[in-house]
Amino acid sequence: MTLMEDAKKGIVTPSIETVAKTEGIDPETVCSCVAKGLIAIPVNNRRETLPIGIGKYMSTKINANVGTSRDYVDIDAEIKKAKAAEAFGAHAVMDLSTGGNLDEIRTRILKSVNIPVGTVPIYQAAASRKVVVEMTSDDMFNAVRKHAEQGVDFVTVHAGVNLNSLERLRQSDRIMNVVSRGGSFTLAWMLHNGEDNPFYAEFDYLLEIAKEYDMTLSLGDGMRPGCIADASDRPKFMEFITLGELVKRARAANVQTFVEGPGHVPLNEIELSVRGMKELCNGAPLYLLGPLVTDIAPGFDHITGAIGGAVAGMHGTDFLCMVTPSEHLALPTLEDIKEGLLVTKVAAHTIDLIKEGPRERAWEKDLAMAYARRDLDWEKQFELAIDGNRARKIRDARKTESDTCSMCGELCALKIVKEAFEKKNSEE
Amino acid sequence: MTLMEDAKKGIVTPSIETVAKTEGIDPETVCSCVAKGLIAIPVNNRRETLPIGIGKYMSTKINANVGTSRDYVDIDAEIKKAKAAEAFGAHAVMDLSTGGNLDEIRTRILKSVNIPVGTVPIYQAAASRKVVVEMTSDDMFNAVRKHAEQGVDFVTVHAGVNLNSLERLRQSDRIMNVVSRGGSFTLAWMLHNGEDNPFYAEFDYLLEIAKEYDMTLSLGDGMRPGCIADASDRPKFMEFITLGELVKRARAANVQTFVEGPGHVPLNEIELSVRGMKELCNGAPLYLLGPLVTDIAPGFDHITGAIGGAVAGMHGTDFLCMVTPSEHLALPTLEDIKEGLLVTKVAAHTIDLIKEGPRERAWEKDLAMAYARRDLDWEKQFELAIDGNRARKIRDARKTESDTCSMCGELCALKIVKEAFEKKNSEE
């Protein structure tokens, strides 16, 4: 029995119960949304995972990517990153390792954190052969099964990168073609082998494996635009259409899914992308990489991603993939992960302030901060801040003699207005 | 003759010529927009200033705030900040000093930079008396005149904080009342003296001074919301109404204006604020402080401001006031100014990508970056980046043996797809 099967029968499972409690929403609503595929709770039946809800009425969740690359294989460092991500508030971790002993890394990450863990099995399939395009269909499915057996809670499969989207790509004027790593493996594989993507052609087999382990499918955005000029084009919308059909099939098979979204998108096209995806994919939870709202800010892409994520959130985003300052430049360091995560947390909270479901709870936090600010209660402000230590450090570095801050000192607007009103009222 | 007078006569002045050239727009359009008050070019007739255009069809401009506080009076440090701001791409600098010899600081800043300089004369008026509320109407106007004589290009006057908005404030349920420093001085003054704000009551006198020096008025947002809960309320809209009337009077007097906007605003109320202001103020250029999209991120308010600024930009923002990581916590350091400025530059560029006027030029930059990325041309990428040094540093810190980056190494999506297409094409 998968969670979705239970939910369709109206059974409030412990996972649903936990999510409902965490979110402050009644369990029946969560159950009904899981049944419809509007909320995903990725928990592999082989692993003890803290259940988190992604989707409708749920607070915005954050994923942190960790993992080795061919150039940097330091497993301990990646474990540290995964743990730090969890400690700094990530709701899920994806192991994107491509270098070193992939099984060992994955096993250790699964043991190191309590939050859901995601992977991209095609990386392992590709690594098993000398050349990427020589991997077999079996390599691909075996990798998925292995990850499922090990307890991975959700896997990205680029099932929307198929011969149809390849043709749309050929008919397009894309500058950067495919910038998704898994998407590029798939595309190269199709070109080399002259066959359709096995994850698409044999999607039912994928569903069988996923169902056996109650593993959630993250339908990858292999066709995501890699630059502003490529945004909102036919290849991307073709992929949304395909993914929407796959969402429908997955729901029928009682397998949970969410859909990954673009990419590089200018501010005024984000609504189109997000609403397009939501419509075409029947309201599936949306997992966003960015969107990055400009191409020319390497070193600041955690911020271009926060801007894009927040704008996307105005139209229905559920799950943000943290972007680090190293994006487009290098494998992120531990510090990059922390910084990216904190900035993504800020963006996620700005979304929660306006999202149906988490809105009231998020609003309470800002309200408490407003009162603490008004009352110049600094300890309370640090307690309520997304990163109280950072705030305290900044304030302490430039102290003031007064109870205000060193920007205004005794000329603090809050203080002046308060005193003026008090004086006036005492006179009346 | 003020610039606006010239523009109304259709005279393309050297300032208009320069702005038109910088923006790549024909001088007649700029001239016509200046005449209508839709573009402001703040240049005091006593000072040699690099003319910049703020408003319709103009690329998004950035202001950097510098200046001493009561706790930190280090004039050299503030001069360094002003120069660094100019070097890092600020289009204007505001001297918000409240500590030390204000005349000396202002004089030195005016000499140190070539970009427009703005001030808030009421700070000096307030500093001239032992208690803020004891400043006289003469103190206020004398400060304005002194700044004008010294060559200040634009001054913030909180003329919308009047008895009418005070009454709206009293009728409201605001948590934080007034968080604008100048607004708080004005409000306290009105409460203490039982009279209306001189800058409002004698606005014509203000216009006379401004006209004499062709100094631009930045109509301050003294009633801006200081927390999410206070956003989009009656006191703020009352101020917009008042400022709109003052914009009309200023235009009739041939004095240029722009209007300052809020404050703390949740994502889904920014459009209302921006469009409300634009409608109520007859399309006057909008100068934004933030908006900050959450209260709970002290230490990250340069980022909450970048998010809010970008969203505001979707509805018509012209001039962004840089926010630093020290906002709400302390007087910013030089490093804070640089960081805040760079992040604001990123936000401004994301706006330019969608704004009528600068759009095509901004788009070209991203397009060039897309090609450089596709071709793995790293030097070109650093050249095109908003901060090439930072990008280079990140890449160099985690090198790769390949011509890609250490995130993917030889598994670079761009490379794999390129090779796959090349191989396929050579076979056909």
Side-chain angles (χ1 to χ4, degrees), chain A residues 194-359:
Chain A
E195 289 174 32
D196 211 337
N197 173 7
F199 283 153
Y200 177 74
E202 300 167 68
F203 189 68
D204 285 336
Y205 182 36
L206 200 58
L207 289 176
E208 259 179 53
I209 303 172
K211 193 174 172 184
E212 187 177 341
Y213 300 90
D214 204 358
M215 185 171 67
T216 300
L217 297 182
S218 180
L219 298 173
D221 54 342
M223 305 304 290
R224 69 172 175 267
C227 63
I228 291 294
D230 287 350
S232 326
D233 66 352
R234 291 182 292 271
K236 180 62 239 177
F237 271 77
M238 184 67 244
E239 185 176 48
F240 278 148
I241 291 170
T242 306
L243 297 184
E245 291 171 355
L246 299 181
V247 163
K248 208 177 145 191
R249 284 165 67 185
R251 286 177 183 172
N254 294 319
V255 169
Q256 297 188 99
T257 57
F258 38 86
V259 173
E260 300 180 10
H264 290 234
V265 186
L267 284 170
N268 61 348
E269 293 181 25
I270 293 175
E271 179 177 357
L272 172 68
S273 273
V274 171
R275 293 185 58 189
M277 171 272 158
K278 280 277 180 188
E279 282 296 326
L280 296 170
C281 297
N282 295 31
L286 177 54
Y287 178 20
L288 273 186
L289 316 169
L292 309 184
V293 288
T294 175
D295 302 333
I296 68 164
F300 297 88
D301 277 327
H302 54 317
I303 295 168
T304 69
I307 294 173
V311 174
M314 296 170 72
H315 309 290
T317 294
D318 308 296
F319 194 20
L320 295 178
C321 186
M322 165 213 76
V323 181
T324 79
S326 286
E327 184 72 18
H328 293 115
L329 296 168
L331 191 75
T333 62
L334 182 63
E335 277 312 304
D336 289 335
I337 301 266
K338 282 188 196 168
E339 190 63 22
L341 197 52
L342 286 166
V343 169
T344 309
K345 267 176 95 167
V346 172
H349 178 72
T350 70
I351 296 172
D352 286 347
L353 280 172
I354 62 166
K355 186 178 178 183
E356 192 184 351
R359 194 167 46 203

Side-chain angles (χ1 to χ4, degrees), chain B residues 284-322:
Chain B
L286 177 54
Y287 178 21
L288 273 186
L289 316 168
L292 309 185
V293 288
T294 175
D295 302 333
I296 68 164
F300 297 89
D301 277 327
H302 54 316
I303 295 168
T304 68
I307 294 174
V311 174
M314 295 170 72
H315 309 290
T317 295
D318 308 296
F319 194 19
L320 296 178
C321 187
M322 165 214 76

Side-chain angles (χ1 to χ4, degrees), chain A residues 30-289:
Chain A
V30 176
C31 187
S32 145
C33 286
V34 170
K36 291 177 193 150
L38 304 178
I39 291 176
I41 303 177
V43 181
N44 184 308
N45 61 22
R46 294 262 177 123
R47 182 166 179 257
E48 290 286 330
T49 307
L50 183 76
I52 57 156
I54 299 167
K56 199 166 185 186
Y57 307 132
M58 301 289 102
S59 59
T60 306
K61 301 302 183 297
I62 301 169
N63 173 73
N65 287 338
V66 302
T68 59
S69 71
R70 293 278 163 105
D71 289 294
Y72 291 90
V73 183
D74 179 343
I75 304 188
D76 289 338
E78 299 308 321
I79 301 298
K80 260 191 202 163
K81 286 183 194 171
K83 285 186 172 174
E86 184 177 24
F88 275 78
H91 304 97
V93 165
M94 285 193 82
D95 170 21
L96 304 187
S97 292
T98 55
N101 185 331
L102 302 185
D103 287 332
E104 185 193 345
I105 303 168
R106 191 180 325 108
T107 311
R108 285 189 57 192
I109 287 180
L110 282 161
K111 279 187 195 152
S112 304
V113 298
N114 293 316
I115 50 182
V117 171
T119 60
V120 189
I122 201 174
Y123 295 170
Q124 185 157 38
S128 67
R129 304 284 166 174
K130 211 178 147 199
V131 187
V132 167
V133 293
E134 284 174 3
M135 66 181 169
T136 65
S137 166
D138 277 350
D139 291 338
M140 291 168 69
F141 286 105
N142 287 343
V144 173
R145 183 177 292 279
K146 178 185 264 182
H147 291 213
E149 276 171 2
Q150 289 182 327
V152 166
D153 301 294
F154 61 100
V155 289
T156 291
V157 283
H158 301 85
V161 180
N162 58 11
L163 290 176
N164 194 344
S165 54
L166 174 58
E167 183 52 29
R168 304 288 83 69
L169 181 64
R170 282 186 150 140
Q171 299 284 344
S172 80
D173 304 306
R174 271 211 177 181
I175 292 167
M176 297 193 76
N177 285 318
V178 166
V179 296
S180 147
R181 199 155 54 180
S184 76
F185 295 176
T186 309
L187 186 138
W189 190 93
M190 290 192 298
L191 285 171
H192 180 80
N193 296 284
E195 289 174 32
D196 211 337
N197 173 7
F199 283 153
Y200 177 74
E202 300 167 68
F203 189 68
D204 285 336
Y205 182 36
L206 200 58
L207 289 176
E208 259 179 53
I209 303 172
K211 193 174 172 184
E212 187 177 341
Y213 300 90
D214 204 358
M215 185 171 67
T216 300
L217 297 182
S218 180
L219 298 173
D221 54 342
M223 305 304 290
R224 69 172 175 267
C227 63
I228 291 294
D230 287 350
S232 326
D233 66 352
R234 291 182 292 271
K236 180 62 239 177
F237 271 77
M238 184 67 244
E239 185 176 48
F240 278 148
I241 291 170
T242 306
L243 297 184
E245 291 171 355
L246 299 181
V247 163
K248 208 177 145 191
R249 284 165 67 185
R251 286 177 183 172
N254 294 319
V255 169
Q256 297 188 99
T257 57
F258 38 86
V259 173
E260 300 180 10
H264 290 234
V265 186
L267 284 170
N268 61 348
E269 293 181 25
I270 293 175
E271 179 177 357
L272 172 68
S273 273
V274 171
R275 293 185 58 189
M277 171 272 158
K278 280 277 180 188
E279 282 296 326
L280 296 170
C281 297
N282 295 31
L286 177 54
Y287 178 20
L288 273 186
L289 316 169

